[in-house]
Structures are given as structure tokens and as C-alpha cells.
Amino acid sequence: MAASPGVAGAAHAGEGPSPATSSKSSGSASDSPQASQSPHDETVESRGIEPVPDHERRGRVRELFPTWVAANISVLLLTMGAGLVVFNGLNFWQVLLAAAVAGSVSFGLVGLLSVSGKWGGAPGAMLSRATFGVRGNYFPGMILWVARFGWETINAVTGAYAVLTVLDLLFGVRTSTPLIIVTLLVFVGVTFLVSGMGRKVLNICNTWSTYLFGVFTVLVLIYLLTTIDWDAMFSKPAGGTAMLIAGIGTIAAGGISWIPTGPDFARYLPHSADGRKIFGTTISGALLVLVPMVLMGGVMSVETPALAKTDDPVSFLGEALPMWLAVPYLVIALIGMVLINSLSMYSAGFTAQTMGVKLPRAWAVSINAIISLVGGLLLMLVAKSFYGSFISFLSLLAVSFSAWVGVYAVDMLRRRHKAVRYDPEGLLDTSRSSRYWYAGGYCWQAMTAWGVALVLGLGFTKVDWFTGPLVDTWIGRNGLGWAATVLLAAVLFAVLPAPRESEPAAAEPVAAEA
């Protein structure tokens, strides 16, 4: 890492520069003409988990738009939309409502919590230290990291299936075990390369994929408008309210998984960036893709209901669309899935560093790449039901992330009026003198709220291999365990005594942030 002496230290220590080094290097960088090339401008991003100094905050809010468009370019949304019709029994208007509400709620939370990235200039996994304590952050951090493994595995499998489908459509190449291994290896390798390059490369790829995917999505919509039996679609009776609410929860789970990573993409924004624009840009970018994709899946399922339960979640496109449209659409969707996984691995690198992995960010993501490769092979070669595994994973993912979200959101509210919202030196200091050491390295209030909410949320959850004791309650039957988890975590943390941060004796006063 070459941004400054402090940053170079972070590459080897995994925790970023020491407090003293951080202050010194930050000051010298701003006064030196050689410092004009910041990690924000580099082709290969060198910055890790250390907070971004003010003079490098040259990001634009509009850059978030293609980021959240790209985060939703996944044919899995088609499968989920089909599931709303086939399994939940919803009609056209209910599918549209479920997608709009789920996307607005989940990515609304992504946008709200992304503002903390602007405040602290650091990834969400790093800012979480201020909430849970230096040691306490390891517990939710480990769960979030494991959840990232699962999400990246699901995306890698979907991408590999897309490649296999294109090979079959164009060249008649049939799937085999060796081909599955090679395809998955290539997909994960490309993902690792893109995520390792960092923020600038991701922004460029996200922007172009937004344009390309938008064009082909419009073509698919036009094709569906002219070929689908709309009478059959609109004659379908409405499903029950419980199934509608459950469907909203299923779709929202995907967006919830992005909440802890929201600050990662906002940390280069200047303090003057408008929080309302961050919120609006995040939601609009996500909904632009999420709603049409879910709705398309629901419409397709009327004639091809197998879409909702196929072991290969993308092969149906070769049957539902003509080859001239299916192949380019799958290729663009494949690019989107690479970017989704790259965004996830990009953030996973920060989580790994925060958990103590002593590698530069670009190499820290290799851990997730290896695990997603192994998990992908198991899912493609061993698992009996891809869709069942996917929905089970989403359900557990939503609960595990929701407990963190409730606590983190209340902590953000408390920091709104603080002169120092996040102390850069305190975040990097893992010793007993850290501002965020609390009691023995743990913020017991945050840990208590998080732990209780997590256990209760699991009680409302039912998946293929696990049934919580509270699934027969109204919350459990309606798939609202994730919402109950957020609410309980937030309420508990709010009513417990407010944590008191340490004030290091040698700390210099820091100006209030905008």
C-alpha cells in the first residue's frame, strides 16, 4: 500500500496505522505536492480499513447510483419473483407491490446507514468498532463475515450456471463435473481480480453494466409484452395477506444483506455531501433494477412455473427467450453477477482486516474467494435443491444482519449531535487506551441488545434444516423475524444506559463534522 507511511503500515498490520502515525502521515500528505495521487484516484486502490482523510474525500454522491444498480443485476431476482407467484400465490399487482415495498425498505436502510461512511470515512466493519467496542466487534463481525461467504457462494454458483447455459445455447456443450469446476474457478478468479482492483475499477464497471443491462432488460420486457399470455396473468386470483407479507420479507432479505457494506462505498464522500441525496440515490439505483426483475420473474412463471424451483436458476432463460435475446442477456447478467460478487468481496476484504487478518485489502479478499469456490462446488455438485438452499440462506442472513442493523442504527442516531462522531485514531487503536475500549474492550449494552435480538430472531425463523420455537406466532408465520430482530435490537440498545466512550488524555481536539 503506497498512499502514505501510515497506509503502508496498515498493509502489514491488518489494523491500519498506529494513531500517532496516522496523524502524522495525514498532515504531511495534505502539505506535500506528491500527495495529489490519492487511493481514490489510483487504478488499483491501496487504502485499507484506515479512515480516509479529508483531503482525499473527492467522491460524488452520484457514483452510488451505478453501484446499487449493479448490486441488483442478478437473475436470482427472476427466480425470487417466480417464487412469489408459484409458492406464495401472489398475482401481478401483489408481486409489483412486494418488490416495491421490499426494495424501498431494505435499500432505504442501506442508504440511511451509508451516511455513517461519510461521517467516519471508514468501512462499516471498522465503524462498528465504535458501536460494539474493540473486542466486542469481533462477534457480530464474524457472523457478518461468514454471511458474506454464503452470499458470495450463491452468486458464484449463479454466475457459473449462466456460463454453462451460454455454452449450451451457443455450442451445444453439455454440463459435466470437470466443466463445472473450470467454470466456477474462472468466475471466482475474475471476481477476485475485479474486487482486488478496488473502488475506481468497480465504479467504471458498474457504470457500463448499468447501461448495457438497461438496454437488454428493455428488450426482454418488450418481448414479454408481445408474447406472454397476459389474460392468464391478470386472471390469477390474489394471494393472502400473510403470503404477501412473507414475500416482502423474502425479497427484502437480499437488500438487508447490503446494509453493513453501505458505508464502504460512501467513505470517500466529503462531509458536505447531502445525506438525503445519499438516501435517495441508493433507493433509486436499487429499485431501477429490482422491481422490473422481480416482476419479470413473476410474469415468466405463468408459462414456465419450473422457474421457481429449478436446480439451475438461469437455464430457463434459454427456453423462455429466443436465442438471439437469451444469449446477450445472459452475458450481460453474467457481468452483473461478477460485479455483485466483486462488491461483496471488496467489502469482505475490509471485514477480514477488521477481524485481524494481516494482509492488504486486495489480498484479504482471497480468503473469501477460496471459500466461495469450495462452497460453490459443494452447492453445484452435492446440494439437492439450489432454490431451497438459497431461500434458507436468505432467511438466516436477514436475521443475522438485522440484529447488527438495529444496534448500529441507534448508535448512529446518538452520534448525530456529537462534536466527534467517529474518532479516526480511536478506530485504529486496539489497545486499552482506545476511545472505544469501553469495559474490557466490550460495549456491554450493544452486545446485550445484539445477542438477545439475534437469538429471538432465530426463534422466528424456519428453514429446510432448522425450525425456531416461535415460527407458529404471527411474526413467524408472516416471515417478519428480520423486522422483529431490527426492532428489538434497536429498542433494547436505546433503553439500556448510553455507553460512555473513553477520552484519551493525550487526544487533541477535533473539529465538529458537517
Side-chain angles (χ1 to χ4, degrees), residues 91-93 229-237 299 302:
N91 64 13
F92 179 88
W93 302 112
D229 185 354
W230 290 100
D231 289 337
M233 183 69 202
F234 286 112
S235 63
K236 187 174 179 62
V299 170
V302 174

Side-chain angles (χ1 to χ4, degrees), residues 45 76 78 86-87 106 115 123 131 172 212 227-228 293 306 317 340 350 386 435 447 460 486:
E45 183 182 6
L76 285 175
L78 296 176
V86 175
F87 299 125
S106 60
V115 175
T131 305
L212 292 173
T227 59
I228 289 292
M293 291 286 285
L317 283 177
I340 289 175
F350 299 131
F386 177 87
R435 184 187 187 104
M447 294 296 295
F460 290 117
V486 172

Side-chain angles (χ1 to χ4, degrees), residues 15-28:
E15 295 287 0
S18 65
T21 306
S22 176
S23 298
K24 184 185 292 186
S25 63
S26 176
S28 63

Side-chain angles (χ1 to χ4, degrees), residues 215-246:
V215 170
F216 281 97
T217 298
V218 169
L219 291 176
V220 172
L221 285 172
I222 293 173
Y223 176 81
L224 292 177
L225 285 172
T226 58
T227 59
I228 289 292
D229 185 354
W230 290 100
D231 289 337
M233 183 69 202
F234 286 112
S235 63
K236 187 174 179 62
T241 302
M243 288 294 96
L244 173 61
I245 296 174

Side-chain angles (χ1 to χ4, degrees), residues 300-315:
M300 286 180 176
S301 69
V302 174
E303 294 185 357
T304 55
L307 160 58
K309 48 191 174 184
T310 177
D311 289 336
D312 180 346
V314 294
S315 63

